[in-house]
Amino acid sequence: MSQSPVLQCSAYALDVRSFLVVKVGTELIVDQETGEIRTSWIDSLIEDVVRFSARGQKVVIVTSGAVTVGWHRVRHLGFERAGAKQAAAAIGQVQIMLAYEQSLKRRGWEVGQFLLTRTDVDEDHRRLHVRDGLEKLLMSGAIPVVNESDTTAAADTCFGDNDRLAAKVAEIVEADLLVLLSNVDGLFTGDPNVNPAARLVTEVRCITPEIEAMAAPSLTRHTSGGMVTKLMAAKIAMDAGCEMMIANGTGHYPLTAIERGAPCTRFIPITRQHSRTGT
């Protein structure tokens, strides 16, 4: 394992993956101070997604950010943050989807919104509806954008993070690869912000207690995930035979960066769902 800041991985052939689920973290699409959507970054992501779609690949986006965007708007209405999640999600989701819709429309594509709860992905008959709906959207030439339904989800029906939701979506559609775009390069042997000697783990084939011990809860108040939930997502994906990747998406064109060898952590299942193995 190499030192993280200068690690250069080999080019990754995303073009051999026929079905990808790409999860976008809140910190990537929302300015954490102003609450404004980073539209230029979304444009670069969509440019990547459209390029993939044009070469015959299916791509589903799982997006975060609605609550953060909405909160910066509802707080001016006098809401207390603790009780404003549903209102913030309802307002912010409109803004997030508008940004995706405008970016896709400029490139001749449509967007389809999917808001899901844990019940939708856990119950067999609902899972079939989710899969059928996503497939129909992709066949019609639209890019599905998925988020958790924070406006209606109760404590017993919510995920609380989109890492596991994205893994469940990947499981349902039998995706080849799940990409978790975050603000870190991947899984480290320790917290690189505290320990300069922490190294990037480039490949994981089994999530052992030692691997789990490397994860630390998220210290970002704007987000609900962190490395802990990413490892939970990895378990879901790997059990389904789907490869998963954690990569730094803070720069523009994040999927292109992966293809060119940007640092990342790959979680490779022992068995794959599909015959395509890639590189």
Side-chain angles (χ1 to χ4, degrees):
M1 293 181 286
S2 306
Q3 293 295 328
S4 59
V6 296
L7 179 64
Q8 182 68 25
C9 298
S10 58
Y12 187 83
L14 289 179
D15 60 327
V16 302
R17 308 301 183 184
S18 63
F19 206 141
L20 295 84
V21 175
V22 180
K23 182 262 180 177
V24 179
T26 297
E27 64 280 357
L28 302 182
I29 63 173
V30 183
D31 185 296
Q32 302 302 306
E33 296 303 320
T34 67
E36 295 300 318
I37 297 172
R38 299 177 63 205
T39 54
S40 65
W41 185 89
I42 288 181
D43 271 343
S44 76
L45 171 68
I46 294 303
E47 190 75 29
D48 278 345
V49 170
V50 167
R51 178 167 59 87
F52 284 18
S53 298
R55 65 192 188 192
Q57 294 171 276
K58 298 177 182 178
V59 183
V60 174
I61 298 172
V62 178
T63 189
S64 302
V67 173
T68 300
V69 170
W71 166 243
H72 282 272
R73 288 161 174 76
V74 301
R75 65 178 180 176
H76 299 300
L77 303 177
F79 283 89
E80 294 293 332
R81 188 179 183 95
K85 183 176 181 178
Q86 288 179 308
I91 293 172
Q93 184 65 25
V94 175
Q95 303 302 317
I96 292 287
M97 290 305 300
L98 182 61
Y100 281 110
E101 190 270 342
Q102 289 176 338
S103 184
L104 282 164
K105 188 175 183 179
R106 284 193 292 271
R107 294 163 176 83
W109 290 74
E110 297 292 335
V111 65
Q113 175 180 258
F114 259 70
L115 297 178
L116 303 175
T117 65
R118 196 168 68 194
T119 304
D120 294 319
V121 298
D122 282 349
E123 295 185 0
D124 289 342
H125 70 287
R126 288 178 179 264
R127 286 167 61 93
L128 291 174
H129 284 299
V130 171
R131 177 172 179 168
D132 186 56
L134 291 171
E135 287 282 2
K136 281 185 168 59
L137 271 177
L138 290 164
M139 289 174 61
S140 69
I143 301 297
V145 176
V146 179
N147 197 359
E148 182 162 16
S149 181
D150 290 311
T151 58
T152 60
D156 60 340
T157 61
C158 72
F159 278 96
D161 68 89
N162 276 345
D163 294 324
R164 286 177 292 170
L165 174 60
K168 282 291 188 178
V169 170
E171 177 186 56
I172 289 170
V173 300
E174 297 184 355
D176 300 284
L177 176 66
L178 168 62
V179 180
L180 302 185
L181 294 176
S182 185
N183 61 350
V184 294
D185 290 344
L187 174 68
F188 288 83
T189 56
D191 186 346
N193 296 311
V194 177
N195 180 8
R199 295 172 295 170
L200 180 66
V201 179
T202 58
E203 187 176 294
V204 175
R205 292 183 179 268
C206 181
I207 300 179
T208 63
E210 290 76 17
I211 292 293
E212 291 178 325
M214 296 176 188
S218 174
L219 300 179
T220 308
R221 66 181 179 89
H222 300 281
T223 64
S224 55
M227 198 53 64
V228 171
T229 59
K230 286 173 176 55
L231 289 187
M232 292 178 180
K235 287 182 179 180
I236 295 169
M238 293 172 77
D239 284 347
C242 176
E243 184 175 339
M244 194 187 91
M245 174 186 295
I246 303 172
N248 194 322
T250 52
H252 285 54
Y253 303 99
L255 300 181
T256 296
I258 292 171
E259 288 188 306
R260 292 177 177 175
C264 66
T265 300
R266 293 174 60 190
F267 294 82
I268 303 175
I270 296 174
T271 59
R272 297 177 184 271
Q273 283 177 332
H274 307 286
S275 59
R276 291 175 293 276
T277 57
T279 59

Coordinates of all heavy atoms in Angstrom, one line a residue, residues 102-168:
Q102 N -31.7 20.4 -15.6 CA -31.2 21.4 -16.5 C -29.9 20.9 -17.2 O -29.7 21.2 -18.3 CB -31.0 22.7 -15.7 CG -32.2 23.4 -15.3 CD -32.0 24.7 -14.5 OE1 -30.9 24.8 -13.9 NE2 -33.0 25.6 -14.5
S103 N -29.1 20.3 -16.4 CA -27.8 19.8 -16.9 C -28.0 18.7 -18.0 O -27.4 18.7 -19.0 CB -26.9 19.2 -15.8 OG -25.6 18.9 -16.3
L104 N -28.9 17.8 -17.7 CA -29.2 16.7 -18.6 C -29.9 17.2 -19.9 O -29.7 16.8 -21.0 CB -30.1 15.6 -18.0 CG -29.3 14.7 -17.1 CD1 -30.3 13.9 -16.1 CD2 -28.5 13.7 -17.9
K105 N -30.9 18.2 -19.7 CA -31.6 18.7 -20.8 C -30.7 19.4 -21.8 O -30.9 19.3 -23.0 CB -32.7 19.7 -20.3 CG -33.6 20.2 -21.4 CD -34.7 21.1 -20.8 CE -35.7 21.5 -21.9 NZ -36.8 22.3 -21.3
R106 N -29.7 20.1 -21.3 CA -28.7 20.8 -22.2 C -28.0 19.8 -23.1 O -27.5 20.1 -24.2 CB -27.7 21.6 -21.4 CG -28.2 22.9 -20.9 CD -27.1 23.8 -20.4 NE -26.4 23.2 -19.2 CZ -26.8 23.5 -17.9 NH1 -27.9 24.2 -17.7 NH2 -26.1 23.0 -16.9
R107 N -28.0 18.5 -22.7 CA -27.3 17.5 -23.5 C -28.3 16.5 -24.2 O -27.9 15.5 -24.7 CB -26.4 16.7 -22.5 CG -25.2 17.6 -22.0 CD -24.5 17.0 -20.8 NE -23.4 17.8 -20.5 CZ -23.5 18.9 -19.7 NH1 -24.7 19.3 -19.3 NH2 -22.4 19.6 -19.4
G108 N -29.6 16.9 -24.2 CA -30.6 16.1 -24.9 C -31.1 14.9 -24.1 O -31.7 14.0 -24.7
W109 N -31.0 14.9 -22.8 CA -31.4 13.8 -22.0 C -32.5 14.2 -21.0 O -32.5 15.4 -20.6 CB -30.2 13.1 -21.3 CG -29.3 12.4 -22.2 CD1 -28.4 13.0 -23.0 CD2 -29.2 11.0 -22.3 NE1 -27.7 12.0 -23.7 CE2 -28.1 10.8 -23.3 CE3 -29.8 9.9 -21.7 CZ2 -27.7 9.5 -23.6 CZ3 -29.4 8.6 -22.1 CH2 -28.4 8.4 -23.0
E110 N -33.3 13.3 -20.6 CA -34.3 13.5 -19.6 C -33.8 12.9 -18.2 O -33.0 12.1 -18.2 CB -35.6 12.9 -19.9 CG -36.2 13.5 -21.2 CD -36.7 14.9 -21.1 OE1 -37.0 15.3 -19.9 OE2 -36.8 15.6 -22.1
V111 N -34.4 13.4 -17.1 CA -34.2 12.9 -15.8 C -35.4 12.3 -15.2 O -36.5 12.8 -15.5 CB -33.6 14.0 -14.9 CG1 -34.7 15.1 -14.6 CG2 -33.1 13.4 -13.6
G112 N -35.3 11.2 -14.5 CA -36.4 10.6 -13.8 C -36.1 10.5 -12.3 O -35.1 10.0 -11.9
Q113 N -37.0 11.0 -11.5 CA -36.8 11.0 -10.0 C -37.4 9.8 -9.4 O -38.5 9.4 -9.7 CB -37.4 12.3 -9.4 CG -37.4 12.3 -7.9 CD -38.0 13.6 -7.3 OE1 -37.3 14.5 -7.0 NE2 -39.3 13.6 -7.3
F114 N -36.6 9.2 -8.5 CA -37.0 8.1 -7.6 C -36.8 8.4 -6.2 O -35.6 8.6 -5.8 CB -36.3 6.8 -8.0 CG -37.1 5.9 -8.9 CD1 -37.3 6.2 -10.2 CD2 -37.6 4.7 -8.4 CE1 -38.0 5.3 -11.0 CE2 -38.3 3.8 -9.2 CZ -38.5 4.1 -10.5
L115 N -37.8 8.5 -5.4 CA -37.6 8.7 -3.9 C -38.1 7.5 -3.2 O -39.2 7.0 -3.3 CB -38.5 9.9 -3.5 CG -38.1 11.3 -4.1 CD1 -39.1 12.4 -3.6 CD2 -36.7 11.7 -3.8
L116 N -37.1 6.9 -2.5 CA -37.3 5.6 -1.9 C -37.2 5.6 -0.4 O -36.5 6.4 0.2 CB -36.3 4.6 -2.5 CG -36.3 4.4 -4.0 CD1 -35.1 3.5 -4.4 CD2 -37.6 3.9 -4.5
T117 N -37.9 4.6 0.3 CA -37.7 4.4 1.7 C -37.1 2.9 1.8 O -37.0 2.2 0.8 CB -39.0 4.4 2.4 OG1 -39.9 3.4 2.0 CG2 -39.7 5.8 2.2
R118 N -36.8 2.6 3.0 CA -36.2 1.2 3.3 C -37.2 0.2 2.9 O -36.8 -0.9 2.4 CB -35.8 1.1 4.7 CG -34.9 -0.1 4.9 CD -34.2 0.0 6.3 NE -35.2 -0.2 7.4 CZ -35.0 0.0 8.6 NH1 -33.9 0.5 9.0 NH2 -36.0 -0.2 9.5
T119 N -38.5 0.4 3.1 CA -39.5 -0.5 2.8 C -39.5 -0.8 1.3 O -39.7 -2.0 0.9 CB -40.9 0.0 3.2 OG1 -40.9 0.3 4.6 CG2 -42.0 -1.1 2.9
D120 N -39.3 0.2 0.5 CA -39.3 0.0 -1.0 C -38.2 -1.0 -1.5 O -38.4 -1.6 -2.5 CB -39.1 1.4 -1.7 CG -40.3 2.3 -1.5 OD1 -41.4 1.8 -1.5 OD2 -40.0 3.5 -1.2
V121 N -37.1 -1.0 -0.7 CA -36.0 -1.9 -1.2 C -35.9 -3.1 -0.4 O -35.1 -4.0 -0.7 CB -34.6 -1.1 -1.1 CG1 -34.7 0.1 -2.1 CG2 -34.3 -0.7 0.3
D122 N -36.6 -3.3 0.7 CA -36.6 -4.5 1.5 C -37.7 -5.5 1.2 O -37.5 -6.7 1.3 CB -36.6 -4.1 3.0 CG -35.3 -3.6 3.5 OD1 -34.3 -3.7 2.8 OD2 -35.3 -3.1 4.6
E123 N -38.9 -5.0 0.8 CA -40.0 -5.9 0.5 C -39.9 -6.4 -0.9 O -39.8 -5.5 -1.8 CB -41.3 -5.2 0.8 CG -41.5 -4.9 2.3 CD -42.8 -4.3 2.6 OE1 -43.7 -4.1 1.7 OE2 -43.1 -3.9 3.8
D124 N -40.1 -7.7 -1.1 CA -39.9 -8.2 -2.4 C -40.8 -7.6 -3.5 O -40.3 -7.3 -4.6 CB -40.2 -9.8 -2.4 CG -39.1 -10.5 -1.6 OD1 -38.0 -9.9 -1.4 OD2 -39.3 -11.7 -1.2
H125 N -42.1 -7.4 -3.3 CA -42.9 -6.9 -4.3 C -42.6 -5.5 -4.6 O -42.7 -5.0 -5.8 CB -44.4 -7.1 -3.9 CG -44.9 -6.2 -2.8 ND1 -44.5 -6.4 -1.5 CD2 -45.6 -5.1 -2.9 CE1 -45.1 -5.4 -0.8 NE2 -45.7 -4.6 -1.6
R126 N -42.1 -4.7 -3.6 CA -41.8 -3.3 -3.9 C -40.4 -3.3 -4.6 O -40.2 -2.4 -5.5 CB -41.6 -2.6 -2.6 CG -43.0 -2.3 -1.9 CD -42.7 -1.6 -0.6 NE -44.0 -1.2 0.1 CZ -44.6 -0.1 0.0 NH1 -44.1 0.9 -0.7 NH2 -45.7 0.2 0.7
R127 N -39.5 -4.2 -4.3 CA -38.2 -4.2 -5.0 C -38.5 -4.4 -6.5 O -37.8 -3.8 -7.4 CB -37.4 -5.3 -4.5 CG -36.8 -5.1 -3.1 CD -36.2 -6.3 -2.5 NE -35.1 -6.9 -3.3 CZ -33.8 -6.7 -3.1 NH1 -33.5 -5.8 -2.2 NH2 -32.9 -7.3 -3.9
L128 N -39.4 -5.3 -6.9 CA -39.7 -5.6 -8.3 C -40.2 -4.3 -9.0 O -39.9 -4.0 -10.1 CB -40.7 -6.7 -8.4 CG -40.3 -8.1 -8.0 CD1 -41.4 -9.1 -8.0 CD2 -39.1 -8.5 -8.9
H129 N -41.1 -3.5 -8.3 CA -41.6 -2.3 -8.8 C -40.4 -1.3 -9.0 O -40.4 -0.6 -10.0 CB -42.6 -1.7 -7.9 CG -44.0 -2.4 -8.0 ND1 -44.7 -2.4 -9.2 CD2 -44.7 -3.0 -7.1 CE1 -45.8 -3.1 -8.9 NE2 -45.8 -3.5 -7.7
V130 N -39.5 -1.2 -8.1 CA -38.4 -0.3 -8.2 C -37.5 -0.7 -9.4 O -37.2 0.1 -10.2 CB -37.5 -0.3 -6.9 CG1 -36.2 0.4 -7.1 CG2 -38.3 0.3 -5.7
R131 N -37.2 -2.0 -9.5 CA -36.4 -2.5 -10.6 C -37.1 -2.2 -11.9 O -36.4 -1.7 -12.9 CB -36.1 -4.0 -10.4 CG -35.3 -4.5 -11.6 CD -34.9 -5.9 -11.3 NE -34.1 -6.5 -12.5 CZ -33.4 -7.6 -12.5 NH1 -33.4 -8.3 -11.3 NH2 -32.8 -8.0 -13.5
D132 N -38.3 -2.5 -12.0 CA -39.1 -2.3 -13.3 C -39.1 -0.8 -13.7 O -38.9 -0.5 -14.8 CB -40.5 -2.9 -13.1 CG -41.3 -2.8 -14.4 OD1 -40.8 -3.4 -15.4 OD2 -42.3 -2.2 -14.5
G133 N -39.3 0.0 -12.7 CA -39.4 1.5 -12.9 C -38.1 2.0 -13.4 O -38.0 2.8 -14.4
L134 N -37.0 1.6 -12.8 CA -35.7 2.1 -13.2 C -35.3 1.6 -14.6 O -34.8 2.3 -15.4 CB -34.6 1.6 -12.2 CG -34.7 2.3 -10.8 CD1 -33.7 1.6 -9.8 CD2 -34.3 3.7 -10.9
E135 N -35.6 0.3 -14.9 CA -35.3 -0.2 -16.2 C -36.1 0.5 -17.3 O -35.6 0.8 -18.3 CB -35.6 -1.7 -16.2 CG -34.7 -2.6 -15.5 CD -33.4 -2.8 -16.2 OE1 -33.2 -2.3 -17.3 OE2 -32.5 -3.5 -15.7
K136 N -37.4 0.8 -17.0 CA -38.2 1.5 -18.0 C -37.7 2.9 -18.2 O -37.7 3.4 -19.4 CB -39.6 1.5 -17.5 CG -40.4 0.2 -17.8 CD -41.9 0.4 -17.4 CE -42.7 -0.8 -18.0 NZ -42.2 -2.1 -17.4
L137 N -37.2 3.6 -17.2 CA -36.6 4.9 -17.4 C -35.4 4.9 -18.3 O -35.2 5.7 -19.2 CB -36.3 5.5 -16.0 CG -37.3 6.3 -15.3 CD1 -36.8 6.8 -13.9 CD2 -37.8 7.5 -16.1
L138 N -34.5 3.9 -18.0 CA -33.3 3.8 -18.8 C -33.6 3.4 -20.2 O -33.0 4.0 -21.2 CB -32.4 2.7 -18.2 CG -31.8 3.1 -16.8 CD1 -31.3 1.9 -16.1 CD2 -30.7 4.1 -17.0
M139 N -34.6 2.6 -20.5 CA -35.0 2.2 -21.8 C -35.6 3.4 -22.6 O -35.5 3.5 -23.8 CB -36.0 1.1 -21.8 CG -35.4 -0.3 -21.4 SD -36.6 -1.6 -21.2 CE -37.3 -1.7 -22.9
S140 N -36.2 4.3 -21.9 CA -36.8 5.5 -22.5 C -35.8 6.6 -22.8 O -36.2 7.6 -23.4 CB -37.9 6.0 -21.6 OG -37.4 6.6 -20.4
G141 N -34.6 6.4 -22.3 CA -33.6 7.4 -22.6 C -33.4 8.5 -21.5 O -32.9 9.6 -21.7
A142 N -33.9 8.1 -20.3 CA -33.8 9.0 -19.1 C -32.8 8.5 -18.2 O -32.5 7.3 -18.1 CB -35.2 9.2 -18.5
I143 N -32.2 9.4 -17.4 CA -31.2 9.0 -16.4 C -31.9 9.1 -15.0 O -32.4 10.1 -14.6 CB -30.0 10.0 -16.3 CG1 -29.3 10.0 -17.7 CG2 -29.1 9.6 -15.2 CD1 -28.7 8.7 -18.1
P144 N -32.1 7.9 -14.3 CA -32.7 7.9 -13.0 C -31.8 8.6 -12.0 O -30.6 8.3 -11.9 CB -32.9 6.4 -12.7 CG -32.7 5.7 -14.0 CD -31.7 6.6 -14.8
V145 N -32.5 9.4 -11.2 CA -31.8 10.0 -10.0 C -32.6 9.7 -8.8 O -33.7 10.0 -8.6 CB -31.7 11.6 -10.2 CG1 -31.1 12.2 -8.9 CG2 -30.9 12.0 -11.4
V146 N -31.9 8.9 -7.9 CA -32.5 8.3 -6.7 C -32.1 9.1 -5.5 O -31.0 9.5 -5.3 CB -32.1 6.9 -6.6 CG1 -32.8 6.2 -5.3 CG2 -32.5 6.1 -7.8
N147 N -33.0 9.2 -4.5 CA -32.7 9.8 -3.2 C -33.7 9.1 -2.2 O -34.7 8.5 -2.6 CB -32.9 11.3 -3.2 CG -32.2 11.9 -2.0 OD1 -31.6 11.2 -1.1 ND2 -32.2 13.2 -1.9
E148 N -33.3 9.2 -0.9 CA -34.2 8.7 0.1 C -35.3 9.7 0.3 O -35.2 10.9 0.2 CB -33.5 8.5 1.4 CG -34.4 8.0 2.5 CD -33.6 7.4 3.7 OE1 -32.4 7.6 3.8 OE2 -34.3 6.6 4.5
S149 N -36.5 9.2 0.5 CA -37.7 10.0 0.7 C -37.7 10.5 2.1 O -38.5 10.0 3.0 CB -39.0 9.2 0.4 OG -40.1 10.0 0.5
D150 N -36.9 11.6 2.4 CA -36.8 12.1 3.7 C -38.1 12.8 4.2 O -38.3 13.0 5.4 CB -35.7 13.1 3.8 CG -34.3 12.4 3.7 OD1 -34.1 11.4 4.4 OD2 -33.5 12.9 2.9
T151 N -38.9 13.2 3.3 CA -40.2 13.9 3.7 C -41.2 12.9 4.2 O -42.1 13.3 5.0 CB -40.8 14.6 2.4 OG1 -41.1 13.6 1.4 CG2 -39.9 15.7 1.9
T152 N -41.1 11.6 3.9 CA -42.1 10.7 4.4 C -41.6 9.6 5.2 O -42.3 8.9 5.9 CB -42.9 10.0 3.2 OG1 -41.9 9.4 2.3 CG2 -43.6 11.1 2.3
A153 N -40.3 9.3 5.2 CA -39.7 8.2 5.9 C -39.7 8.4 7.4 O -39.4 9.5 7.9 CB -38.2 8.0 5.5
A154 N -40.2 7.4 8.1 CA -40.2 7.4 9.6 C -38.9 6.7 10.1 O -38.1 6.2 9.3 CB -41.4 6.7 10.1
A155 N -38.8 6.7 11.4 CA -37.6 6.2 12.0 C -37.4 4.7 11.6 O -36.2 4.2 11.4 CB -37.6 6.3 13.5
D156 N -38.5 4.0 11.4 CA -38.4 2.6 11.2 C -38.4 2.2 9.7 O -38.3 1.1 9.3 CB -39.5 1.8 11.9 CG -40.9 2.2 11.4 OD1 -41.0 3.3 10.9 OD2 -41.8 1.5 11.6
T157 N -38.5 3.3 8.8 CA -38.5 3.0 7.4 C -37.4 3.8 6.6 O -37.4 3.8 5.4 CB -39.9 3.4 6.8 OG1 -40.1 4.8 7.0 CG2 -41.0 2.6 7.4
C158 N -36.5 4.4 7.4 CA -35.5 5.2 6.7 C -34.1 4.5 6.8 O -33.8 3.7 7.7 CB -35.4 6.6 7.2 SG -34.7 6.7 8.9
F159 N -33.2 4.8 5.9 CA -31.8 4.4 5.9 C -31.0 5.3 6.8 O -30.2 4.9 7.6 CB -31.2 4.3 4.5 CG -31.6 3.1 3.8 CD1 -32.6 3.1 2.9 CD2 -30.9 1.9 4.0 CE1 -33.0 1.9 2.2 CE2 -31.2 0.7 3.3 CZ -32.3 0.8 2.4
G160 N -31.2 6.6 6.6 CA -30.4 7.6 7.3 C -29.1 8.0 6.6 O -28.5 9.0 6.9
D161 N -28.8 7.2 5.6 CA -27.6 7.5 4.7 C -27.8 6.9 3.4 O -28.5 5.9 3.2 CB -26.3 6.9 5.3 CG -26.3 5.4 5.3 OD1 -25.8 4.9 4.3 OD2 -26.7 4.8 6.3
N162 N -27.2 7.5 2.4 CA -27.4 7.1 1.0 C -26.4 6.1 0.5 O -26.5 5.6 -0.6 CB -27.4 8.3 0.0 CG -28.8 8.9 0.0 OD1 -29.8 8.3 0.4 ND2 -28.9 10.1 -0.5
D163 N -25.4 5.8 1.3 CA -24.4 4.8 1.0 C -25.1 3.4 0.9 O -25.0 2.7 -0.1 CB -23.3 4.7 2.0 CG -22.4 6.0 2.0 OD1 -22.2 6.5 0.9 OD2 -22.0 6.4 3.1
R164 N -25.8 3.1 2.0 CA -26.5 1.8 2.0 C -27.7 1.8 1.0 O -28.0 0.7 0.4 CB -27.0 1.5 3.4 CG -25.9 1.0 4.3 CD -26.4 0.8 5.7 NE -26.8 2.1 6.3 CZ -27.5 2.1 7.5 NH1 -27.8 1.0 8.1 NH2 -27.8 3.3 8.0
L165 N -28.4 2.9 0.8 CA -29.4 3.0 -0.2 C -28.9 2.7 -1.6 O -29.5 1.9 -2.3 CB -30.1 4.3 -0.2 CG -31.2 4.6 -1.2 CD1 -32.3 3.6 -1.1 CD2 -31.7 6.0 -1.2
A166 N -27.7 3.3 -1.9 CA -27.1 3.1 -3.2 C -26.7 1.6 -3.4 O -26.9 1.0 -4.5 CB -25.9 3.9 -3.3
A167 N -26.2 1.0 -2.3 CA -25.9 -0.5 -2.4 C -27.1 -1.3 -2.6 O -27.1 -2.3 -3.4 CB -25.2 -0.9 -1.1
K168 N -28.2 -1.0 -2.0 CA -29.5 -1.7 -2.2 C -30.0 -1.5 -3.6 O -30.5 -2.5 -4.2 CB -30.5 -1.2 -1.2 CG -30.4 -1.8 0.2 CD -30.6 -3.3 0.2 CE -30.7 -3.9 1.6 NZ -31.0 -5.3 1.6

